[in-house]
Amino acid sequence: MDRPLLIFSGQSNKPLAQAIAEALGLPLGKSATQRFANDNLFVRFEESLREGDVFIVQSLTPPVQDHLMELLMMVDAAKGASAARVTAVIPYFSYARSDKKDAPRISIAARLIADLLQTAGADRVLTMTLHSPQVHGFFKVPVDHLSAEPVIANHFATRVDLENAVVVAPDAGDLKRASSLARRLRLPLAFIDKERVSDTEVRVRMLVGEVKGKTALIVDDEISTAGSLVEAVEALLQAGAKEVYAAATHGVYVGPALERIAQSPVKEVAATDTCPPKVGPKLKTLPVAPIFAEAIWRIHRGESVSSLFT
């Protein structure tokens, strides 16, 4: 606990890393990343890490492979610089979607990334809202898996009249997450059964639960192309929902996402800043730096972080 606490950032989400450092009352550590003419990356820490408790903040956002490689190199460089402990802080762990062998001759990429981080020298991992919580089990080092549920619940409680609202899971896989939020807000629950047509398109097959005349609150782990979101909004409105709000931990917003959201009848879409925030008339950003800062402080002090998991 007497080791110096050091916070560094990769290139993917420096504003979040800066906000975490400020919440801890610390300066963001100095490091540099360069790209050589042959496309190789080069990383260097510009201050001493010796015997430090080092936390490296890097979301796996596009370009994912560049940001992943930068993180691995920073972890390796920190271990080589005699850091006492290195924690990879990955607010958005994109490869958590690839958690099982659901087709022939494919890689279980989430397990591979876990192996790479451990081989690079990560002593610990801190992340938020894994798409597949079982990815936690791919690591042989401690993993602290935070939840954005308190932030999302507070957002809905302050933005929406909850007297006549219902929490909606956009697919069966999100049912547990939506159920937890519904209990927290003391609201009924509904869910949508969908079929994925492609990486960017889904088809709604069935809506389970009563939404007629209610304000529907969609909760998801991430919004990528927004295909699932807009289909869910349309299905809820057709089923008689009065209006629809949505919130997710990770606002990735790639491809046609922003255009789809702008053209959708959804009232508002909120996401935390685990990914760099995007700007739009219906978009809302929910800060999570205080949660990460508290978790980092407790890890550094050797204290429990279990109260931050839910």
mmCIF file of all heavy atoms in Angstrom, residues 125-163:
data_model
loop_
_atom_site.group_PDB
_atom_site.id
_atom_site.type_symbol
_atom_site.label_atom_id
_atom_site.label_comp_id
_atom_site.label_asym_id
_atom_site.label_seq_id
_atom_site.Cartn_x
_atom_site.Cartn_y
_atom_site.Cartn_z
ATOM 1 N N VAL A 125 -6.951 -7.261 -13.972
ATOM 2 C CA VAL A 125 -7.769 -6.610 -14.998
ATOM 3 C C VAL A 125 -8.971 -5.967 -14.319
ATOM 4 O O VAL A 125 -9.599 -6.560 -13.439
ATOM 5 C CB VAL A 125 -8.239 -7.615 -16.071
ATOM 6 C CG1 VAL A 125 -9.248 -6.974 -17.025
ATOM 7 C CG2 VAL A 125 -7.049 -8.156 -16.858
ATOM 8 N N LEU A 126 -9.263 -4.738 -14.733
ATOM 9 C CA LEU A 126 -10.442 -4.009 -14.257
ATOM 10 C C LEU A 126 -11.270 -3.636 -15.472
ATOM 11 O O LEU A 126 -10.769 -2.993 -16.402
ATOM 12 C CB LEU A 126 -10.023 -2.762 -13.488
ATOM 13 C CG LEU A 126 -11.135 -1.811 -13.010
ATOM 14 C CD1 LEU A 126 -12.073 -2.515 -12.039
ATOM 15 C CD2 LEU A 126 -10.520 -0.560 -12.363
ATOM 16 N N THR A 127 -12.534 -4.049 -15.504
ATOM 17 C CA THR A 127 -13.368 -3.791 -16.671
ATOM 18 C C THR A 127 -14.791 -3.478 -16.226
ATOM 19 O O THR A 127 -15.088 -3.460 -15.027
ATOM 20 C CB THR A 127 -13.332 -5.002 -17.630
ATOM 21 O OG1 THR A 127 -13.995 -4.675 -18.859
ATOM 22 C CG2 THR A 127 -14.006 -6.228 -17.010
ATOM 23 N N MET A 128 -15.665 -3.221 -17.200
ATOM 24 C CA MET A 128 -17.056 -2.868 -16.884
ATOM 25 C C MET A 128 -18.013 -3.533 -17.867
ATOM 26 O O MET A 128 -17.808 -3.497 -19.084
ATOM 27 C CB MET A 128 -17.243 -1.342 -16.923
ATOM 28 C CG MET A 128 -18.684 -0.880 -16.694
ATOM 29 S SD MET A 128 -18.856 0.915 -16.496
ATOM 30 C CE MET A 128 -18.495 1.093 -14.741
ATOM 31 N N THR A 129 -19.054 -4.151 -17.343
ATOM 32 C CA THR A 129 -20.168 -4.719 -18.103
ATOM 33 C C THR A 129 -19.696 -5.528 -19.304
ATOM 34 O O THR A 129 -19.837 -5.131 -20.457
ATOM 35 C CB THR A 129 -21.148 -3.625 -18.561
ATOM 36 O OG1 THR A 129 -21.449 -2.749 -17.490
ATOM 37 C CG2 THR A 129 -22.449 -4.249 -19.077
ATOM 38 N N LEU A 130 -19.124 -6.690 -19.028
ATOM 39 C CA LEU A 130 -18.749 -7.605 -20.095
ATOM 40 C C LEU A 130 -20.004 -8.111 -20.805
ATOM 41 O O LEU A 130 -20.994 -8.461 -20.155
ATOM 42 C CB LEU A 130 -17.984 -8.795 -19.528
ATOM 43 C CG LEU A 130 -16.578 -8.508 -18.970
ATOM 44 C CD1 LEU A 130 -16.063 -9.742 -18.229
ATOM 45 C CD2 LEU A 130 -15.632 -8.106 -20.081
ATOM 46 N N HIS A 131 -19.957 -8.150 -22.144
ATOM 47 C CA HIS A 131 -21.100 -8.670 -22.911
ATOM 48 C C HIS A 131 -21.440 -10.091 -22.460
ATOM 49 O O HIS A 131 -22.613 -10.448 -22.323
ATOM 50 C CB HIS A 131 -20.774 -8.652 -24.403
ATOM 51 C CG HIS A 131 -21.857 -9.210 -25.271
ATOM 52 N ND1 HIS A 131 -23.001 -8.497 -25.570
ATOM 53 C CD2 HIS A 131 -21.981 -10.410 -25.894
ATOM 54 C CE1 HIS A 131 -23.780 -9.228 -26.350
ATOM 55 N NE2 HIS A 131 -23.187 -10.391 -26.552
ATOM 56 N N SER A 132 -20.404 -10.886 -22.213
ATOM 57 C CA SER A 132 -20.579 -12.242 -21.690
ATOM 58 C C SER A 132 -19.804 -12.351 -20.380
ATOM 59 O O SER A 132 -18.564 -12.428 -20.401
ATOM 60 C CB SER A 132 -20.064 -13.274 -22.695
ATOM 61 O OG SER A 132 -20.776 -13.210 -23.915
ATOM 62 N N PRO A 133 -20.489 -12.344 -19.245
ATOM 63 C CA PRO A 133 -19.792 -12.353 -17.955
ATOM 64 C C PRO A 133 -18.855 -13.540 -17.767
ATOM 65 O O PRO A 133 -17.890 -13.456 -17.006
ATOM 66 C CB PRO A 133 -20.946 -12.388 -16.941
ATOM 67 C CG PRO A 133 -22.107 -11.783 -17.666
ATOM 68 C CD PRO A 133 -21.951 -12.218 -19.096
ATOM 69 N N GLN A 134 -19.119 -14.663 -18.479
ATOM 70 C CA GLN A 134 -18.266 -15.836 -18.317
ATOM 71 C C GLN A 134 -16.838 -15.611 -18.817
ATOM 72 O O GLN A 134 -15.935 -16.392 -18.513
ATOM 73 C CB GLN A 134 -18.856 -17.063 -19.010
ATOM 74 C CG GLN A 134 -19.082 -16.924 -20.490
ATOM 75 C CD GLN A 134 -20.509 -16.487 -20.800
ATOM 76 O OE1 GLN A 134 -21.119 -15.746 -20.026
ATOM 77 N NE2 GLN A 134 -21.039 -16.954 -21.905
ATOM 78 N N VAL A 135 -16.613 -14.535 -19.577
ATOM 79 C CA VAL A 135 -15.253 -14.196 -20.016
ATOM 80 C C VAL A 135 -14.341 -13.999 -18.809
ATOM 81 O O VAL A 135 -13.130 -14.238 -18.893
ATOM 82 C CB VAL A 135 -15.287 -12.932 -20.909
ATOM 83 C CG1 VAL A 135 -13.887 -12.373 -21.146
ATOM 84 C CG2 VAL A 135 -15.954 -13.259 -22.242
ATOM 85 N N HIS A 136 -14.918 -13.579 -17.704
ATOM 86 C CA HIS A 136 -14.179 -13.452 -16.440
ATOM 87 C C HIS A 136 -13.372 -14.719 -16.170
ATOM 88 O O HIS A 136 -12.229 -14.668 -15.699
ATOM 89 C CB HIS A 136 -15.195 -13.198 -15.322
ATOM 90 C CG HIS A 136 -14.608 -12.838 -14.004
ATOM 91 N ND1 HIS A 136 -15.211 -11.977 -13.136
ATOM 92 C CD2 HIS A 136 -13.481 -13.235 -13.374
ATOM 93 C CE1 HIS A 136 -14.494 -11.843 -12.039
ATOM 94 N NE2 HIS A 136 -13.430 -12.599 -12.155
ATOM 95 N N GLY A 137 -13.967 -15.872 -16.479
ATOM 96 C CA GLY A 137 -13.333 -17.153 -16.179
ATOM 97 C C GLY A 137 -12.168 -17.511 -17.077
ATOM 98 O O GLY A 137 -11.453 -18.481 -16.803
ATOM 99 N N PHE A 138 -11.956 -16.765 -18.162
ATOM 100 C CA PHE A 138 -10.817 -17.030 -19.043
ATOM 101 C C PHE A 138 -9.500 -16.529 -18.455
ATOM 102 O O PHE A 138 -8.429 -16.873 -18.951
ATOM 103 C CB PHE A 138 -11.028 -16.373 -20.413
ATOM 104 C CG PHE A 138 -12.152 -16.972 -21.225
ATOM 105 C CD1 PHE A 138 -12.777 -16.227 -22.207
ATOM 106 C CD2 PHE A 138 -12.581 -18.259 -21.006
ATOM 107 C CE1 PHE A 138 -13.808 -16.771 -22.970
ATOM 108 C CE2 PHE A 138 -13.609 -18.818 -21.751
ATOM 109 C CZ PHE A 138 -14.223 -18.070 -22.730
ATOM 110 N N PHE A 139 -9.570 -15.692 -17.431
ATOM 111 C CA PHE A 139 -8.369 -15.100 -16.844
ATOM 112 C C PHE A 139 -7.894 -15.916 -15.648
ATOM 113 O O PHE A 139 -8.706 -16.396 -14.855
ATOM 114 C CB PHE A 139 -8.647 -13.672 -16.381
ATOM 115 C CG PHE A 139 -8.818 -12.685 -17.496
ATOM 116 C CD1 PHE A 139 -10.064 -12.460 -18.056
ATOM 117 C CD2 PHE A 139 -7.734 -11.977 -17.988
ATOM 118 C CE1 PHE A 139 -10.231 -11.541 -19.075
ATOM 119 C CE2 PHE A 139 -7.881 -11.059 -19.007
ATOM 120 C CZ PHE A 139 -9.137 -10.844 -19.560
ATOM 121 N N LYS A 140 -6.577 -16.039 -15.532
ATOM 122 C CA LYS A 140 -5.973 -16.680 -14.361
ATOM 123 C C LYS A 140 -5.469 -15.638 -13.365
ATOM 124 O O LYS A 140 -4.883 -15.987 -12.345
ATOM 125 C CB LYS A 140 -4.834 -17.590 -14.798
ATOM 126 C CG LYS A 140 -5.280 -18.781 -15.645
ATOM 127 C CD LYS A 140 -4.104 -19.675 -15.993
ATOM 128 C CE LYS A 140 -4.555 -20.877 -16.807
ATOM 129 N NZ LYS A 140 -5.043 -20.491 -18.157
ATOM 130 N N VAL A 141 -5.669 -14.354 -13.692
ATOM 131 C CA VAL A 141 -5.337 -13.272 -12.770
ATOM 132 C C VAL A 141 -6.649 -12.675 -12.265
ATOM 133 O O VAL A 141 -7.700 -12.872 -12.882
ATOM 134 C CB VAL A 141 -4.477 -12.183 -13.461
ATOM 135 C CG1 VAL A 141 -3.150 -12.766 -13.906
ATOM 136 C CG2 VAL A 141 -5.223 -11.552 -14.628
ATOM 137 N N PRO A 142 -6.635 -11.944 -11.157
ATOM 138 C CA PRO A 142 -7.878 -11.360 -10.641
ATOM 139 C C PRO A 142 -8.517 -10.401 -11.646
ATOM 140 O O PRO A 142 -7.833 -9.620 -12.319
ATOM 141 C CB PRO A 142 -7.423 -10.609 -9.390
ATOM 142 C CG PRO A 142 -6.165 -11.287 -8.977
ATOM 143 C CD PRO A 142 -5.494 -11.715 -10.244
ATOM 144 N N VAL A 143 -9.835 -10.473 -11.751
ATOM 145 C CA VAL A 143 -10.614 -9.584 -12.619
ATOM 146 C C VAL A 143 -11.690 -8.917 -11.777
ATOM 147 O O VAL A 143 -12.480 -9.595 -11.114
ATOM 148 C CB VAL A 143 -11.272 -10.351 -13.783
ATOM 149 C CG1 VAL A 143 -12.140 -9.412 -14.615
ATOM 150 C CG2 VAL A 143 -10.219 -11.007 -14.665
ATOM 151 N N ASP A 144 -11.718 -7.590 -11.799
ATOM 152 C CA ASP A 144 -12.785 -6.836 -11.138
ATOM 153 C C ASP A 144 -13.743 -6.360 -12.215
ATOM 154 O O ASP A 144 -13.371 -5.571 -13.094
ATOM 155 C CB ASP A 144 -12.207 -5.650 -10.366
ATOM 156 C CG ASP A 144 -11.341 -6.109 -9.199
ATOM 157 O OD1 ASP A 144 -11.868 -6.833 -8.342
ATOM 158 O OD2 ASP A 144 -10.153 -5.761 -9.169
ATOM 159 N N HIS A 145 -14.967 -6.865 -12.146
ATOM 160 C CA HIS A 145 -15.969 -6.626 -13.187
ATOM 161 C C HIS A 145 -17.014 -5.640 -12.653
ATOM 162 O O HIS A 145 -17.930 -6.016 -11.923
ATOM 163 C CB HIS A 145 -16.617 -7.958 -13.580
ATOM 164 C CG HIS A 145 -17.604 -7.864 -14.690
ATOM 165 N ND1 HIS A 145 -18.522 -8.860 -14.965
ATOM 166 C CD2 HIS A 145 -17.825 -6.894 -15.607
ATOM 167 C CE1 HIS A 145 -19.250 -8.504 -16.001
ATOM 168 N NE2 HIS A 145 -18.850 -7.315 -16.407
ATOM 169 N N LEU A 146 -16.865 -4.373 -13.007
ATOM 170 C CA LEU A 146 -17.771 -3.336 -12.517
ATOM 171 C C LEU A 146 -19.067 -3.311 -13.310
ATOM 172 O O LEU A 146 -19.148 -3.816 -14.425
ATOM 173 C CB LEU A 146 -17.084 -1.971 -12.599
ATOM 174 C CG LEU A 146 -15.767 -1.824 -11.853
ATOM 175 C CD1 LEU A 146 -15.206 -0.422 -12.063
ATOM 176 C CD2 LEU A 146 -15.928 -2.124 -10.378
ATOM 177 N N SER A 147 -20.081 -2.679 -12.725
ATOM 178 C CA SER A 147 -21.380 -2.538 -13.376
ATOM 179 C C SER A 147 -21.762 -1.066 -13.490
ATOM 180 O O SER A 147 -21.510 -0.283 -12.569
ATOM 181 C CB SER A 147 -22.459 -3.282 -12.574
ATOM 182 O OG SER A 147 -23.753 -2.987 -13.073
ATOM 183 N N ALA A 148 -22.377 -0.719 -14.617
ATOM 184 C CA ALA A 148 -22.876 0.644 -14.806
ATOM 185 C C ALA A 148 -24.332 0.775 -14.370
ATOM 186 O O ALA A 148 -24.929 1.842 -14.547
ATOM 187 C CB ALA A 148 -22.740 1.054 -16.271
ATOM 188 N N GLU A 149 -24.889 -0.273 -13.789
ATOM 189 C CA GLU A 149 -26.303 -0.260 -13.435
ATOM 190 C C GLU A 149 -26.694 0.906 -12.518
ATOM 191 O O GLU A 149 -27.721 1.560 -12.767
ATOM 192 C CB GLU A 149 -26.703 -1.585 -12.783
ATOM 193 C CG GLU A 149 -28.183 -1.666 -12.444
ATOM 194 C CD GLU A 149 -28.550 -2.963 -11.753
ATOM 195 O OE1 GLU A 149 -28.240 -4.031 -12.312
ATOM 196 O OE2 GLU A 149 -29.126 -2.903 -10.655
ATOM 197 N N PRO A 150 -25.910 1.222 -11.473
ATOM 198 C CA PRO A 150 -26.304 2.366 -10.627
ATOM 199 C C PRO A 150 -26.383 3.678 -11.403
ATOM 200 O O PRO A 150 -27.272 4.499 -11.158
ATOM 201 C CB PRO A 150 -25.211 2.411 -9.559
ATOM 202 C CG PRO A 150 -24.654 1.033 -9.517
ATOM 203 C CD PRO A 150 -24.722 0.525 -10.930
ATOM 204 N N VAL A 151 -25.453 3.877 -12.343
ATOM 205 C CA VAL A 151 -25.449 5.105 -13.148
ATOM 206 C C VAL A 151 -26.670 5.149 -14.060
ATOM 207 O O VAL A 151 -27.336 6.186 -14.181
ATOM 208 C CB VAL A 151 -24.152 5.184 -13.979
ATOM 209 C CG1 VAL A 151 -24.177 6.395 -14.904
ATOM 210 C CG2 VAL A 151 -22.942 5.254 -13.065
ATOM 211 N N ILE A 152 -26.976 4.025 -14.700
ATOM 212 C CA ILE A 152 -28.127 3.967 -15.616
ATOM 213 C C ILE A 152 -29.427 4.119 -14.838
ATOM 214 O O ILE A 152 -30.351 4.821 -15.273
ATOM 215 C CB ILE A 152 -28.099 2.657 -16.417
ATOM 216 C CG1 ILE A 152 -26.913 2.671 -17.386
ATOM 217 C CG2 ILE A 152 -29.403 2.448 -17.167
ATOM 218 C CD1 ILE A 152 -26.697 1.365 -18.134
ATOM 219 N N ALA A 153 -29.525 3.471 -13.678
ATOM 220 C CA ALA A 153 -30.735 3.580 -12.864
ATOM 221 C C ALA A 153 -30.967 5.021 -12.424
ATOM 222 O O ALA A 153 -32.099 5.527 -12.486
ATOM 223 C CB ALA A 153 -30.628 2.659 -11.647
ATOM 224 N N ASN A 154 -29.907 5.683 -11.998
ATOM 225 C CA ASN A 154 -30.039 7.079 -11.578
ATOM 226 C C ASN A 154 -30.451 7.960 -12.756
ATOM 227 O O ASN A 154 -31.260 8.889 -12.598
ATOM 228 C CB ASN A 154 -28.723 7.568 -10.990
ATOM 229 C CG ASN A 154 -28.794 9.000 -10.496
ATOM 230 O OD1 ASN A 154 -29.489 9.314 -9.538
ATOM 231 N ND2 ASN A 154 -28.086 9.898 -11.182
ATOM 232 N N HIS A 155 -29.916 7.670 -13.939
ATOM 233 C CA HIS A 155 -30.280 8.437 -15.133
ATOM 234 C C HIS A 155 -31.772 8.313 -15.418
ATOM 235 O O HIS A 155 -32.461 9.326 -15.618
ATOM 236 C CB HIS A 155 -29.473 7.941 -16.330
ATOM 237 C CG HIS A 155 -29.963 8.473 -17.642
ATOM 238 N ND1 HIS A 155 -29.820 9.787 -18.020
ATOM 239 C CD2 HIS A 155 -30.633 7.858 -18.667
ATOM 240 C CE1 HIS A 155 -30.363 9.970 -19.217
ATOM 241 N NE2 HIS A 155 -30.853 8.821 -19.625
ATOM 242 N N PHE A 156 -32.284 7.086 -15.444
ATOM 243 C CA PHE A 156 -33.711 6.889 -15.722
ATOM 244 C C PHE A 156 -34.567 7.530 -14.631
ATOM 245 O O PHE A 156 -35.613 8.132 -14.913
ATOM 246 C CB PHE A 156 -34.030 5.402 -15.825
ATOM 247 C CG PHE A 156 -33.682 4.782 -17.151
ATOM 248 C CD1 PHE A 156 -33.195 3.492 -17.221
ATOM 249 C CD2 PHE A 156 -33.865 5.480 -18.340
ATOM 250 C CE1 PHE A 156 -32.884 2.901 -18.446
ATOM 251 C CE2 PHE A 156 -33.559 4.905 -19.570
ATOM 252 C CZ PHE A 156 -33.065 3.607 -19.617
ATOM 253 N N ALA A 157 -34.132 7.418 -13.382
ATOM 254 C CA ALA A 157 -34.920 7.954 -12.270
ATOM 255 C C ALA A 157 -35.044 9.468 -12.326
ATOM 256 O O ALA A 157 -36.036 10.038 -11.853
ATOM 257 C CB ALA A 157 -34.298 7.528 -10.936
ATOM 258 N N THR A 158 -34.043 10.137 -12.915
ATOM 259 C CA THR A 158 -34.066 11.598 -12.973
ATOM 260 C C THR A 158 -34.592 12.143 -14.300
ATOM 261 O O THR A 158 -34.913 13.325 -14.386
ATOM 262 C CB THR A 158 -32.652 12.165 -12.735
ATOM 263 O OG1 THR A 158 -31.736 11.583 -13.679
ATOM 264 C CG2 THR A 158 -32.174 11.836 -11.325
ATOM 265 N N ARG A 159 -34.681 11.284 -15.325
ATOM 266 C CA ARG A 159 -35.092 11.740 -16.655
ATOM 267 C C ARG A 159 -36.504 11.324 -17.034
ATOM 268 O O ARG A 159 -37.118 11.924 -17.922
ATOM 269 C CB ARG A 159 -34.131 11.192 -17.717
ATOM 270 C CG ARG A 159 -32.722 11.715 -17.642
ATOM 271 C CD ARG A 159 -32.613 13.121 -18.147
ATOM 272 N NE ARG A 159 -32.817 13.205 -19.590
ATOM 273 C CZ ARG A 159 -32.853 14.333 -20.271
ATOM 274 N NH1 ARG A 159 -32.708 15.478 -19.638
ATOM 275 N NH2 ARG A 159 -33.034 14.330 -21.579
ATOM 276 N N VAL A 160 -37.026 10.286 -16.389
ATOM 277 C CA VAL A 160 -38.283 9.680 -16.824
ATOM 278 C C VAL A 160 -39.247 9.568 -15.647
ATOM 279 O O VAL A 160 -38.829 9.309 -14.512
ATOM 280 C CB VAL A 160 -38.021 8.274 -17.418
ATOM 281 C CG1 VAL A 160 -39.317 7.630 -17.882
ATOM 282 C CG2 VAL A 160 -37.020 8.343 -18.565
ATOM 283 N N ASP A 161 -40.527 9.758 -15.925
ATOM 284 C CA ASP A 161 -41.564 9.521 -14.925
ATOM 285 C C ASP A 161 -41.753 8.013 -14.794
ATOM 286 O O ASP A 161 -42.247 7.355 -15.713
ATOM 287 C CB ASP A 161 -42.875 10.182 -15.358
ATOM 288 C CG ASP A 161 -43.989 10.000 -14.334
ATOM 289 O OD1 ASP A 161 -43.722 9.420 -13.256
ATOM 290 O OD2 ASP A 161 -45.128 10.419 -14.614
ATOM 291 N N LEU A 162 -41.349 7.453 -13.658
ATOM 292 C CA LEU A 162 -41.374 5.998 -13.481
ATOM 293 C C LEU A 162 -42.723 5.468 -13.016
ATOM 294 O O LEU A 162 -42.870 4.265 -12.805
ATOM 295 C CB LEU A 162 -40.289 5.590 -12.469
ATOM 296 C CG LEU A 162 -38.841 5.932 -12.853
ATOM 297 C CD1 LEU A 162 -37.886 5.432 -11.776
ATOM 298 C CD2 LEU A 162 -38.477 5.339 -14.205
ATOM 299 N N GLU A 163 -43.704 6.352 -12.878
ATOM 300 C CA GLU A 163 -45.017 5.905 -12.398
ATOM 301 C C GLU A 163 -45.659 4.901 -13.347
ATOM 302 O O GLU A 163 -46.387 4.022 -12.933
ATOM 303 C CB GLU A 163 -45.940 7.114 -12.223
ATOM 304 C CG GLU A 163 -45.630 7.965 -11.016
ATOM 305 C CD GLU A 163 -45.816 7.199 -9.709
ATOM 306 O OE1 GLU A 163 -46.799 6.444 -9.598
ATOM 307 O OE2 GLU A 163 -44.961 7.349 -8.817
#
